[in-house]
Amino acid sequence: MENKKVDRRIQRTRQLLQDALISLILEKGYDKITVQNIIDRANVGRSTFYAHFLDKDDLMASNLEKLHEELGPHLASSYDDDSERAMLPSLALFRHTQEQHHMYKSMIGGRGIEIVHQVIWDGLTAHARAHFEQLESTGKRLAVPKEILVTYLAGSMRILLTWWLDNDMPYPPEQMNEMFLKLVDGGIEGVIQDGQEIS
Amino acid sequence: MENKKVDRRIQRTRQLLQDALISLILEKGYDKITVQNIIDRANVGRSTFYAHFLDKDDLMASNLEKLHEELGPHLASSYDDDSERAMLPSLALFRHTQEQHHMYKSMIGGRGIEIVHQVIWDGLTAHARAHFEQLESTGKRLAVPKEILVTYLAGSMRILLTWWLDNDMPYPPEQMNEMFLKLVDGGIEGVIQDGQEIS
DNA sequence: ACTGTTACCGCACAGTGTGTTCAGTAACAT
DNA sequence: ATGTTACTGAACACACTGTGCGGTAACAGT
């Protein structure tokens, strides 16, 4: 059933290139990296690089995709842990970030990259949107436009996550999650109203 | 007293280059712009560009500096308006953003740029830090590390500002400011404690 | 209006990175 | 052992960078 037919050489090459990119990002930042740098560090032929990826961005995207696939299961299991007050799978995200902090830091800390936005943050935003839509369907009214709430919630998560990584994760994921919820809950609750009328 | 000795040709050239950069950013994003593009659009000789700026980043920095100088007075006057609950000069910032939205959007919306961080956001963070330090000096205790609060506050401002620009400013600055304060106040107040003891 | 100064232009230059092609070689699966 | 497939290395045209320099045009001050 499993597709184990992937040539070892392919696996090796892709891995080498992906690792090279990450380590280079952590050293000098995404912008300043050239394809030349990457293939030098990975010790891979020039033509080989272009046989696998279109360019630097494409390689980055593949890295991101990999991470995203791996994150999936973690999110699913998160609903067991903090299902109660979960507006976002924040605890799961903090935990996974700690596990894969090299990868995350290369994508977040060392300056944001276009593609990261499109995959990670848009996913978070979707989560938040679903939360508020579900809330609305139960008759609640929002004193602030939904899209702003959604952006704010996902954005706050991003802010704390970024800070955490930039500061070498000085607190455990659980504590970060507590603080995140404490900060965000207050503001969110203030704009949720039971009644029909809005000011 | 005034230094009006600046050669007209210099003013003209610098202005042309700065405008060219902004319009190009709004079209295709900072990363994809070359010095060649800039001088073509500005209709300025190659050597002239390098007579004024070191490279693309340097030109961007000059643009940013210009904006920052102009923002100064606005911030000062903001303390008249919302001095009461001002943790940040948020209203002034929303207003100035609306006035200079082309400039701001080119620097924020179309993907963050390294230098922007260092000037605008670090300034905001400093404001926030000053606020909490002043709060601490009056005997209040914080249930969340100060640096996290600072980051969160400045970050939230950034989030909303970015959203506002990306969505073509659908609400007036005053309303954005109200919503910002509503969202942020709740969370912040929840972590400020009067007493001496912390959990 | 005249004059010295200074900014601009245009072109040429070496240097570096890009993305493609292709024949030769080595590692792979079976 | 054999056919297949991925990698290598070198060459290629192209694009952009940053610098240098003589000629030209716009400037400020008298």
Side-chain angles (χ1 to χ4, degrees):
Chain A
M1 216 84 240
E2 290 281 330
N3 267 352
K4 294 214 167 186
K5 299 172 186 174
V6 189
D7 196 315
R8 287 202 208 100
R9 290 170 293 179
I10 298 183
Q11 293 180 9
R12 175 179 161 278
T13 300
R14 297 180 77 95
Q15 192 65 53
L16 283 171
L17 289 171
Q18 288 170 339
D19 291 350
L21 179 60
I22 292 180
S23 71
L24 281 169
I25 291 177
L26 295 176
E27 279 174 31
K28 50 185 207 171
Y30 186 75
D31 305 339
K32 297 200 166 69
I33 297 174
T34 66
V35 174
Q36 198 68 47
N37 298 147
I38 300 171
I39 62 179
D40 285 351
R41 167 137 336 171
N43 203 27
V44 155
R46 176 167 203 72
S47 36
T48 306
F49 177 93
Y50 287 105
H52 286 274
F53 305 101
L54 292 171
D55 50 25
K56 191 177 63 164
D57 285 343
D58 192 37
L59 170 58
M60 188 68 207
S62 81
N63 247 338
L64 194 56
E65 200 176 327
K66 205 173 167 183
L67 191 66
H68 202 237
E69 280 169 16
E70 202 195 292
L71 177 60
H74 285 76
L75 292 185
S77 70
S78 82
Y79 290 109
D80 305 337
D81 287 8
D82 49 8
S83 58
E84 199 51 41
R85 40 183 195 162
M87 296 176 290
L88 284 179
S90 52
L91 181 55
L93 197 48
F94 277 119
R95 283 182 174 154
H96 188 237
T97 299
Q98 193 177 45
E99 283 174 28
Q100 298 286 330
H101 63 272
H102 282 302
M103 191 90 86
Y104 273 95
K105 188 156 186 179
S106 74
M107 298 193 296
I108 297 171
R111 188 77 261 94
I113 299 157
E114 191 69 31
I115 314 156
V116 178
H117 253 260
Q118 290 159 12
V119 178
I120 302 270
W121 306 131
D122 287 5
L124 254 190
T125 309
H127 265 280
R129 186 174 294 114
H131 172 74
F132 287 115
E133 273 165 5
Q134 194 264 330
L135 211 67
E136 277 185 322
S137 73
T138 66
K140 306 282 186 183
R141 292 290 175 278
L142 307 173
V144 165
K146 187 172 61 189
E147 279 308 305
I148 293 190
L149 281 179
V150 164
T151 305
Y152 168 73
L153 188 55
S156 299
M157 178 72 216
R158 189 178 96 206
I159 296 292
L160 289 200
L161 205 58
T162 306
W163 177 88
W164 195 47
L165 280 168
D166 283 345
N167 291 274
D168 301 314
M169 306 177 290
Y171 307 104
E174 292 75 17
Q175 197 176 343
M176 286 303 296
N177 189 46
E178 286 300 319
M179 297 193 278
F180 167 67
L181 292 175
K182 205 176 282 184
L183 285 172
V184 155
D185 257 7
I188 301 286
E189 288 193 3
V191 300
I192 298 176
Q193 302 161 343
D194 300 299
Q196 247 72 349
E197 55 179 359
I198 326 176
S199 75
Chain B
M1 219 82 240
E2 291 282 331
N3 268 352
K4 295 216 171 194
K5 296 172 187 175
V6 189
D7 197 314
R8 287 202 209 97
R9 292 170 291 179
I10 297 183
Q11 293 180 10
R12 174 179 162 277
T13 299
R14 296 181 77 94
Q15 192 65 51
L16 282 172
L17 288 172
Q18 287 170 339
D19 292 349
L21 178 59
I22 291 180
S23 70
L24 282 169
I25 292 177
L26 295 176
E27 280 174 30
K28 49 186 210 171
Y30 187 75
D31 305 339
K32 298 200 165 68
I33 296 174
T34 65
V35 173
Q36 198 68 45
N37 297 147
I38 300 171
I39 63 180
D40 286 349
R41 164 122 358 152
N43 204 26
V44 155
R46 175 164 206 73
S47 32
T48 306
F49 177 93
Y50 287 105
H52 287 272
F53 305 101
L54 292 172
D55 51 24
K56 192 177 62 163
D57 284 343
D58 192 37
L59 171 56
M60 187 69 207
S62 82
N63 249 336
L64 194 57
E65 200 177 328
K66 207 173 167 184
L67 191 67
H68 201 237
E69 280 170 14
E70 201 195 293
L71 175 61
H74 285 77
L75 292 185
S77 70
S78 83
Y79 290 107
D80 306 336
D81 288 7
D82 50 8
S83 58
E84 199 51 39
R85 39 184 195 157
M87 295 176 290
L88 283 179
S90 52
L91 182 55
L93 197 48
F94 276 119
R95 281 182 174 152
H96 188 238
T97 299
Q98 192 177 46
E99 283 174 28
Q100 299 286 332
H101 63 273
H102 282 303
M103 192 88 87
Y104 273 95
K105 188 159 186 176
S106 74
M107 297 193 297
I108 297 172
R111 186 78 264 98
I113 298 157
E114 190 69 30
I115 312 154
V116 177
H117 254 259
Q118 289 160 11
V119 178
I120 302 269
W121 305 133
D122 286 5
L124 256 191
T125 307
H127 264 279
R129 185 174 294 115
H131 172 74
F132 288 114
E133 273 167 2
Q134 194 264 330
L135 210 66
E136 276 185 324
S137 74
T138 66
K140 305 281 185 182
R141 290 292 175 275
L142 307 173
V144 166
K146 187 172 60 188
E147 279 308 306
I148 292 190
L149 281 177
V150 164
T151 305
Y152 168 74
L153 188 55
S156 300
M157 178 74 215
R158 189 178 98 205
I159 296 290
L160 289 198
L161 205 59
T162 305
W163 177 89
W164 195 46
L165 283 168
D166 284 346
N167 291 274
D168 301 313
M169 305 175 291
Y171 307 103
E174 292 74 17
Q175 196 175 342
M176 285 304 295
N177 189 47
E178 285 300 319
M179 296 194 279
F180 167 68
L181 291 175
K182 206 176 283 184
L183 285 173
V184 154
D185 257 8
I188 300 288
E189 288 193 3
V191 300
I192 300 177
Q193 302 162 345
D194 301 296
Q196 246 72 346
E197 56 178 357
I198 325 176
S199 74

